[in-house]
Amino acid sequence: MARVYNFSAGPSCLPEEVLEDCAKEMMDYNGTGQSVMEMSHRSKAYEPIIEDAEAMVRKLMKVPENYKVLFVQGGGSTQFAMVAQNLGIKNKKAAYIETGVWAKKAAAEAKKLGIAVDVIASSKDKNYSYIPRVEKISGDYDYAYICLNNTIMGTHYEYLPDTGNIPLVADISSCVLSEPLDVSKFGLLFAGAQKNLAPAGVTLVIVREDLIPEPEACLPGTPTMLAYKTHADNGSMYNTPPCYTIYVLGKVLHWIEKNGGAEGMLKRNKEKADYLYNFLDSSDFYHATAEKGSRSLMNVPFLTKYSDHAADDEAAAAKEKEINDKFVKAAAAAGLVNLKGHRLVGGMRASIYNAMSLDGVKALVDFMKKFASEN
């Protein structure tokens, strides 16, 4: 069967040359006679793999020397707790900007741990279709928290709030290395790998060293594995790391470097996103759900004209569901898969991460034109 264009929000498509390279080395990595999947993380064969992955993160993201690069497990959702347990220890108070599901879940997790959460801004009033403007954050907060790119709602920060001496924490899971990012403006960044970096299984954490507390200084009851210092002091190998995922991550990072680094990815991603948004904005059948000025380059939710009255008309709602289901099914038959939208937005969603080609986006738009003409 031919390769499909995979528009999944995550796990997402990976660069084909990376997959091919991994396949070649599956049975014998670098003359070891074994797969990286079978390799001891304490072996001399594996050590350069994880060291190279860290070095490439530092190089591509221009990570300052006073930041630790960690590879941990548990996905981005575990970071909701780890951030609070490690950073929310002085005043037990934090500021959150609520721009969608993941920021909302992060705030809820912090509350469970006894953090006094101030939701200082929210875009809930318009179903999180925009990023609220917060120029400056001040107060006795231990940290301020944002989700830089919102996978479900298709929104993205085009600015960063000025937090002064308050450490800024950002979930960059769905936009990591899709564009240049000044790491020094953040106290902590984290990214689940399964959208732009690697298969699911590892989470990248970049944290300023002075923000890493001793384990006993974390919130009471913090498990050993949820203290950043545990991982920082042990080179991300306190326990067995997700070895194969880190191996693939390293290969993806080399692919990014080969294609121009973060700057090259931004050029590539802007070309894809502009092509899709320009079509949506000129169409009388489809429309993007995210407001201009807040639109993601990575995740593009869109609706059809049948959604216009679906909220208050039962017949229209049924027609919308029918047309959405028809679209997703017909797209899959045409080799365009995982386009169903999230239930909180409806319609369809095209996730066009780094590895998605412009050809894939053009194939999607060609299909959308044909579908619109027939429906």
PDB file of all heavy atoms in Angstrom, residues 5 7 275 336 358-368:
ATOM      1  N   TYR A   5      -0.996  10.548   3.383  1.00  0.00           N
ATOM      2  CA  TYR A   5      -0.691  11.817   4.045  1.00  0.00           C
ATOM      3  C   TYR A   5      -1.420  11.802   5.388  1.00  0.00           C
ATOM      4  O   TYR A   5      -2.647  11.746   5.447  1.00  0.00           O
ATOM      5  CB  TYR A   5      -1.159  12.992   3.192  1.00  0.00           C
ATOM      6  CG  TYR A   5      -0.320  13.210   1.946  1.00  0.00           C
ATOM      7  CD1 TYR A   5      -0.875  13.076   0.676  1.00  0.00           C
ATOM      8  CD2 TYR A   5       1.028  13.555   2.048  1.00  0.00           C
ATOM      9  CE1 TYR A   5      -0.119  13.282  -0.471  1.00  0.00           C
ATOM     10  CE2 TYR A   5       1.798  13.762   0.905  1.00  0.00           C
ATOM     11  CZ  TYR A   5       1.224  13.625  -0.337  1.00  0.00           C
ATOM     12  OH  TYR A   5       1.989  13.821  -1.464  1.00  0.00           O
ATOM     13  N   PHE A   7      -2.512  13.505   8.689  1.00  0.00           N
ATOM     14  CA  PHE A   7      -2.766  14.809   9.292  1.00  0.00           C
ATOM     15  C   PHE A   7      -3.120  14.701  10.775  1.00  0.00           C
ATOM     16  O   PHE A   7      -3.752  15.590  11.346  1.00  0.00           O
ATOM     17  CB  PHE A   7      -3.884  15.532   8.534  1.00  0.00           C
ATOM     18  CG  PHE A   7      -3.506  15.902   7.125  1.00  0.00           C
ATOM     19  CD1 PHE A   7      -3.794  15.054   6.062  1.00  0.00           C
ATOM     20  CD2 PHE A   7      -2.846  17.084   6.857  1.00  0.00           C
ATOM     21  CE1 PHE A   7      -3.440  15.383   4.757  1.00  0.00           C
ATOM     22  CE2 PHE A   7      -2.482  17.433   5.559  1.00  0.00           C
ATOM     23  CZ  PHE A   7      -2.778  16.575   4.508  1.00  0.00           C
ATOM     24  N   TYR A 275      -0.704  28.453   2.450  1.00  0.00           N
ATOM     25  CA  TYR A 275      -1.412  27.814   1.335  1.00  0.00           C
ATOM     26  C   TYR A 275      -2.800  27.340   1.785  1.00  0.00           C
ATOM     27  O   TYR A 275      -3.801  27.553   1.078  1.00  0.00           O
ATOM     28  CB  TYR A 275      -0.593  26.625   0.820  1.00  0.00           C
ATOM     29  CG  TYR A 275      -1.068  26.074  -0.498  1.00  0.00           C
ATOM     30  CD1 TYR A 275      -0.571  26.566  -1.699  1.00  0.00           C
ATOM     31  CD2 TYR A 275      -2.019  25.054  -0.552  1.00  0.00           C
ATOM     32  CE1 TYR A 275      -1.001  26.064  -2.931  1.00  0.00           C
ATOM     33  CE2 TYR A 275      -2.459  24.549  -1.765  1.00  0.00           C
ATOM     34  CZ  TYR A 275      -1.941  25.059  -2.950  1.00  0.00           C
ATOM     35  OH  TYR A 275      -2.389  24.562  -4.160  1.00  0.00           O
ATOM     36  N   LEU A 336      -5.793  10.667   2.491  1.00  0.00           N
ATOM     37  CA  LEU A 336      -5.622  11.805   3.407  1.00  0.00           C
ATOM     38  C   LEU A 336      -6.281  11.420   4.732  1.00  0.00           C
ATOM     39  O   LEU A 336      -7.512  11.476   4.853  1.00  0.00           O
ATOM     40  CB  LEU A 336      -6.274  13.060   2.823  1.00  0.00           C
ATOM     41  CG  LEU A 336      -5.888  13.410   1.382  1.00  0.00           C
ATOM     42  CD1 LEU A 336      -6.867  14.402   0.786  1.00  0.00           C
ATOM     43  CD2 LEU A 336      -4.473  13.972   1.321  1.00  0.00           C
ATOM     44  N   LEU A 358       4.695  20.111   1.690  1.00  0.00           N
ATOM     45  CA  LEU A 358       3.809  21.021   0.974  1.00  0.00           C
ATOM     46  C   LEU A 358       2.945  20.240  -0.014  1.00  0.00           C
ATOM     47  O   LEU A 358       1.778  20.578  -0.215  1.00  0.00           O
ATOM     48  CB  LEU A 358       4.632  22.086   0.238  1.00  0.00           C
ATOM     49  CG  LEU A 358       3.836  23.105  -0.586  1.00  0.00           C
ATOM     50  CD1 LEU A 358       2.877  23.903   0.290  1.00  0.00           C
ATOM     51  CD2 LEU A 358       4.793  24.042  -1.340  1.00  0.00           C
ATOM     52  N   ASP A 359       3.503  19.180  -0.581  1.00  0.00           N
ATOM     53  CA  ASP A 359       2.715  18.340  -1.491  1.00  0.00           C
ATOM     54  C   ASP A 359       1.496  17.757  -0.780  1.00  0.00           C
ATOM     55  O   ASP A 359       0.417  17.642  -1.369  1.00  0.00           O
ATOM     56  CB  ASP A 359       3.578  17.200  -2.040  1.00  0.00           C
ATOM     57  CG  ASP A 359       4.567  17.665  -3.092  1.00  0.00           C
ATOM     58  OD1 ASP A 359       4.405  18.795  -3.595  1.00  0.00           O
ATOM     59  OD2 ASP A 359       5.502  16.907  -3.397  1.00  0.00           O
ATOM     60  N   GLY A 360       1.668  17.382   0.483  1.00  0.00           N
ATOM     61  CA  GLY A 360       0.552  16.850   1.261  1.00  0.00           C
ATOM     62  C   GLY A 360      -0.542  17.881   1.449  1.00  0.00           C
ATOM     63  O   GLY A 360      -1.746  17.584   1.340  1.00  0.00           O
ATOM     64  N   VAL A 361      -0.148  19.119   1.739  1.00  0.00           N
ATOM     65  CA  VAL A 361      -1.129  20.198   1.923  1.00  0.00           C
ATOM     66  C   VAL A 361      -1.822  20.516   0.609  1.00  0.00           C
ATOM     67  O   VAL A 361      -3.034  20.743   0.567  1.00  0.00           O
ATOM     68  CB  VAL A 361      -0.438  21.451   2.512  1.00  0.00           C
ATOM     69  CG1 VAL A 361      -1.416  22.617   2.596  1.00  0.00           C
ATOM     70  CG2 VAL A 361       0.129  21.143   3.901  1.00  0.00           C
ATOM     71  N   LYS A 362      -1.065  20.510  -0.476  1.00  0.00           N
ATOM     72  CA  LYS A 362      -1.678  20.764  -1.788  1.00  0.00           C
ATOM     73  C   LYS A 362      -2.669  19.661  -2.158  1.00  0.00           C
ATOM     74  O   LYS A 362      -3.737  19.940  -2.713  1.00  0.00           O
ATOM     75  CB  LYS A 362      -0.586  20.880  -2.853  1.00  0.00           C
ATOM     76  CG  LYS A 362       0.200  22.179  -2.774  1.00  0.00           C
ATOM     77  CD  LYS A 362       1.240  22.274  -3.878  1.00  0.00           C
ATOM     78  CE  LYS A 362       1.931  23.631  -3.855  1.00  0.00           C
ATOM     79  NZ  LYS A 362       2.959  23.751  -4.923  1.00  0.00           N
ATOM     80  N   ALA A 363      -2.326  18.425  -1.812  1.00  0.00           N
ATOM     81  CA  ALA A 363      -3.246  17.310  -2.082  1.00  0.00           C
ATOM     82  C   ALA A 363      -4.530  17.476  -1.269  1.00  0.00           C
ATOM     83  O   ALA A 363      -5.633  17.185  -1.759  1.00  0.00           O
ATOM     84  CB  ALA A 363      -2.568  15.982  -1.744  1.00  0.00           C
ATOM     85  N   LEU A 364      -4.400  17.958  -0.033  1.00  0.00           N
ATOM     86  CA  LEU A 364      -5.572  18.193   0.808  1.00  0.00           C
ATOM     87  C   LEU A 364      -6.452  19.276   0.189  1.00  0.00           C
ATOM     88  O   LEU A 364      -7.686  19.113   0.084  1.00  0.00           O
ATOM     89  CB  LEU A 364      -5.139  18.592   2.214  1.00  0.00           C
ATOM     90  CG  LEU A 364      -6.256  19.060   3.150  1.00  0.00           C
ATOM     91  CD1 LEU A 364      -7.277  17.955   3.377  1.00  0.00           C
ATOM     92  CD2 LEU A 364      -5.672  19.529   4.485  1.00  0.00           C
ATOM     93  N   VAL A 365      -5.859  20.386  -0.207  1.00  0.00           N
ATOM     94  CA  VAL A 365      -6.639  21.481  -0.782  1.00  0.00           C
ATOM     95  C   VAL A 365      -7.320  21.043  -2.077  1.00  0.00           C
ATOM     96  O   VAL A 365      -8.497  21.378  -2.317  1.00  0.00           O
ATOM     97  CB  VAL A 365      -5.744  22.719  -1.001  1.00  0.00           C
ATOM     98  CG1 VAL A 365      -6.476  23.772  -1.844  1.00  0.00           C
ATOM     99  CG2 VAL A 365      -5.329  23.319   0.340  1.00  0.00           C
ATOM    100  N   ASP A 366      -6.620  20.285  -2.902  1.00  0.00           N
ATOM    101  CA  ASP A 366      -7.249  19.775  -4.139  1.00  0.00           C
ATOM    102  C   ASP A 366      -8.464  18.911  -3.810  1.00  0.00           C
ATOM    103  O   ASP A 366      -9.510  19.014  -4.476  1.00  0.00           O
ATOM    104  CB  ASP A 366      -6.233  18.954  -4.942  1.00  0.00           C
ATOM    105  CG  ASP A 366      -5.178  19.809  -5.613  1.00  0.00           C
ATOM    106  OD1 ASP A 366      -5.363  21.038  -5.694  1.00  0.00           O
ATOM    107  OD2 ASP A 366      -4.137  19.248  -6.038  1.00  0.00           O
ATOM    108  N   PHE A 367      -8.320  18.077  -2.780  1.00  0.00           N
ATOM    109  CA  PHE A 367      -9.452  17.242  -2.367  1.00  0.00           C
ATOM    110  C   PHE A 367     -10.599  18.108  -1.851  1.00  0.00           C
ATOM    111  O   PHE A 367     -11.778  17.864  -2.173  1.00  0.00           O
ATOM    112  CB  PHE A 367      -9.030  16.254  -1.281  1.00  0.00           C
ATOM    113  CG  PHE A 367     -10.196  15.540  -0.645  1.00  0.00           C
ATOM    114  CD1 PHE A 367     -10.781  14.451  -1.269  1.00  0.00           C
ATOM    115  CD2 PHE A 367     -10.739  15.999   0.558  1.00  0.00           C
ATOM    116  CE1 PHE A 367     -11.884  13.816  -0.703  1.00  0.00           C
ATOM    117  CE2 PHE A 367     -11.828  15.373   1.130  1.00  0.00           C
ATOM    118  CZ  PHE A 367     -12.407  14.274   0.500  1.00  0.00           C
ATOM    119  N   MET A 368     -10.263  19.122  -1.043  1.00  0.00           N
ATOM    120  CA  MET A 368     -11.293  19.998  -0.471  1.00  0.00           C
ATOM    121  C   MET A 368     -12.069  20.721  -1.566  1.00  0.00           C
ATOM    122  O   MET A 368     -13.294  20.893  -1.478  1.00  0.00           O
ATOM    123  CB  MET A 368     -10.647  20.993   0.499  1.00  0.00           C
ATOM    124  CG  MET A 368     -10.103  20.328   1.759  1.00  0.00           C
ATOM    125  SD  MET A 368      -9.082  21.435   2.769  1.00  0.00           S
ATOM    126  CE  MET A 368     -10.335  22.557   3.430  1.00  0.00           C
TER     127      MET A 368
END
